[in-house]
Structure formats: structure tokens, C-alpha cells
Amino acid sequence: MLPPRAILAAVLAIFAASTAAASGNQDTVVFAAWNVRNYALKPSPDPAARTPTPPKSPQSVAAVVTTLVALKPDILGLTEIGSRADLADLQRRLTQNGLNLPHRTWVDGADKQRHVALLSRFPLTRVRHETRATILAGGLPRRIQRGILDCTVKVRPDFPLRVLGVHFKSRRIVPDFDQAEFRRGESLLVRRRVEQILTDEPATPLLVFGDFNDTKNSPVVTGVLGRPGAPDALTALRLADRQGDQWTYHWAETDEYSRVDFVMISRALRPLVHRSGTRLHRAKDWRISSDHRPLVVTLQLPKATVRK
């Protein structure tokens, strides 16, 4: 048994660490983005779905939790989350396994099966999701499917991180409109929001994450990035795993490996990217958890501003 002084010292150390975390007193922040492939514990109740999505298997749920606990993100951007209850379930499981991300937000788009969401160790402020915008596709205005997540993460009082999250239309062919045309419309909506943010406040630390369902040189991805060299242009981080592979998604139907998930950053964030902590996660059993792989970005925070 430990002596009383040792127990007291351990308790004080834990209290000091938790106090520092709550006040945002830290040097780095780990951001992770991941399409967790239909994280839903019950079949989809959406009557419009041709084939309701089956619940995620216990093995797959456990693999998602194990992976995220290993990554230890401070901020976690998610796509293909089911209901609000499913997000709360994942949050609870992470907490039980030592990863406490107490703050959350969830976007209620037109797609009732798959949603964009965010979990954070830091408080969320100014939540401004876009869920009602429409896109002209197939000659008709159609509501954006998963919306645009938009919130500010209060990492520190002097460092608010603005985060946008997206999940664009899949490449599966639908009879009513051109799926590529729809994604292009979604990308233009995001680009307009980026321009508005960076026109109003050019020094905003802005991060955009998500499943774009398109590749690097497509009009969809370049449309969100903007004109190279412009003040409001974004940079797509070129992430790779420890073996140098850059694919993020495996489409089983065509046996195709591609990079369709991205993290993009504004000019203000570029010097803060900690290269040694920025990567694609590689795991031997990655297929159990999802058909996508997690993206991990570590930010080296600027020295805290001292208020006199």
C-alpha cells in the first residue's frame, strides 16, 4: 500500500492535469477525422431508404472504440454517425475507455441514416450548422444531404479553432440526378462559406474535414480549396501512413483504393501543423472498424497570449 504522502501527491498531480486540460493550457492539439461506416446501433427507420442500413456489429463498434482510444484525439470529426443516441453511445464508450470528449454536436441533414458530428475535449461555441441549403441537380432544387457542420472549438481563450465538416454525395448512381453534379454543388456551398469566414476574419484558424467522395484533382476537391495563392485558399494536408500509402478508402464493389477523405487548413493554421504527429492511421485489422481510415493532424499551438 502506498504511504499517505504518495497518495496525496498522485491525487494532486491528477487534479493539476485535469485543471490544465480544462483551461486549455497545453502545447499541442490532436485532431482526428474518420468515416466510421454507419455507426448505428439499430436498423435505419428511414422509410425512404431502399435498403435500411443494418446495425453496426459489436465487433465493429469495439474496433472503432479501440482505434480512437489509441489515437487519443482532443477533437474528433466524424462522418456516417447514425442518430443523436448513436453519437452519445460512442461518446460514452470512449469515456469508459479513458478518452473523455465531453462536448458534442451533430448535424441533422436530409439524409436520416448518416450524419456529420464532432466530439471535443474543449467547449464548443457559435454552432452554425447549414442544413437547409439547396442544390440544383437534375433540373430541381434538392436539399443538401448531410449538411455542413460549422462550429468554433474554444481550445484556449486566445485560440478559437473554426471547424467545418462535410460528407458529400456518394459516387453511387441514382436515377434522379447526376451524382457528380450534386457533389460539385455541395463543394460550391462549402467554398462560399469558407470565403465568407476568411473575408470577414482573414486570420481565422480554419480547418475543414470530411469525406468528399472524390479525389484530389477533381472539381469537387479543388472547388473547396479555392484559387491557389489567394488569401482565402485552403491547403489539403498530404497525409500518409508509416509505409507511405495515402489512400483513405477501399470501395469493395470495384476493389478500388483511393484518397477521398481530407483535412484542409487555412493560411493561419499552416505554420502550426506538427508534421511528426500528422498522418494516416495504419492498422492490420482496419477493415473490422470501417472501410475508411482515420486522418490525424497535430497542431503546435502558438504561445499563449498574456493579458495584462
Side-chain angles (χ1 to χ4, degrees):
M1 186 179 219
L2 290 174
R5 286 187 180 180
I7 295 174
L8 177 61
V11 170
L12 291 175
I14 294 170
F15 176 78
S18 62
T19 302
S23 63
N25 183 20
Q26 62 180 66
D27 296 327
T28 61
V29 167
V30 176
F31 176 89
W34 195 11
N35 180 322
V36 288
R37 191 180 190 182
N38 297 323
Y39 192 103
L41 304 184
K42 297 179 181 179
S44 167
D46 186 359
R50 291 186 297 273
T51 304
T53 304
K56 200 165 182 69
S57 71
Q59 294 82 3
S60 186
V61 169
V64 168
V65 172
T66 299
T67 297
L68 290 174
V69 169
L71 295 179
K72 296 182 174 65
D74 299 298
I75 307 169
L76 174 61
L78 296 162
T79 54
E80 290 204 17
I81 284 288
S83 66
R84 284 186 175 90
D86 294 322
L87 179 62
D89 171 84
L90 176 57
Q91 185 181 38
R92 176 183 58 80
R93 291 172 188 267
L94 294 175
T95 301
Q96 290 174 343
N97 286 274
L99 180 58
N100 187 25
L101 302 174
H103 306 282
R104 70 178 186 242
T105 188
W106 177 91
V107 184
D108 188 12
D111 183 342
K112 298 306 178 185
Q113 292 182 292
R114 301 169 186 85
H115 299 85
V116 183
L118 186 136
L119 297 176
S120 173
R121 189 159 68 85
F122 311 104
L124 307 180
T125 64
R126 301 183 67 189
V127 177
R128 294 149 288 191
H129 304 325
E130 174 58 74
T131 63
R132 306 303 304 180
T134 58
I135 296 160
L136 187 64
L140 296 173
R142 303 178 190 275
R143 184 181 166 197
I144 188 171
Q145 289 195 327
R146 287 109 188 194
I148 302 171
L149 181 146
D150 185 350
C151 66
T152 298
V153 182
K154 191 177 180 182
V155 177
R156 286 191 326 220
D158 64 333
F159 192 81
L161 177 67
R162 185 81 173 261
V163 179
L164 303 184
V166 300
H167 182 191
F168 291 161
K169 171 73 183 73
S170 74
R171 287 180 283 177
R172 297 182 188 280
I173 296 174
V174 294
D176 299 329
F177 55 87
D178 183 282
Q179 42 86 16
E181 178 188 13
F182 196 90
R183 282 197 305 280
R184 176 60 172 157
E186 291 177 302
S187 74
L188 294 176
L189 287 176
V190 177
R191 167 57 14 202
R192 283 199 289 270
R193 181 159 292 217
V194 169
E195 290 174 353
Q196 181 182 17
I197 293 168
L198 297 180
T199 297
D200 293 343
E201 297 181 56
T204 300
L206 173 64
L207 182 149
V208 180
F209 77 89
D211 178 356
F212 287 63
N213 270 312
D214 234 319
T215 52
K216 182 178 68 171
N217 293 327
S218 68
V220 170
V221 174
T222 58
V224 175
L225 291 173
R227 183 167 56 87
D232 58 8
L234 300 176
T235 299
L237 296 178
R238 190 171 180 176
L239 308 182
D241 63 24
R242 62 178 179 269
Q243 294 187 13
D245 290 340
Q246 297 182 34
W247 60 269
T248 65
Y249 170 58
H250 177 236
W251 191 0
E253 289 185 14
T254 59
D255 197 20
E256 175 185 352
Y257 292 82
S258 57
R259 178 188 176 195
V260 299
D261 304 273
F262 293 88
V263 172
M264 303 174 177
I265 57 172
S266 65
R267 179 176 292 183
L269 278 183
R270 290 178 205 166
L272 305 184
V273 176
H274 195 287
R275 294 294 174 182
S276 64
T278 298
R279 67 193 187 283
L280 285 177
H281 180 65
R282 188 179 190 101
K284 183 172 62 175
D285 57 351
W286 64 273
R287 294 176 187 272
I288 299 174
S289 55
S290 176
D291 48 359
H292 293 249
R293 300 199 294 170
L295 293 73
V296 182
V297 176
T298 300
L299 300 176
Q300 182 77 44
L301 298 182
K303 186 173 293 186
T305 302
V306 178
R307 295 184 179 179
K308 297 182 179 180

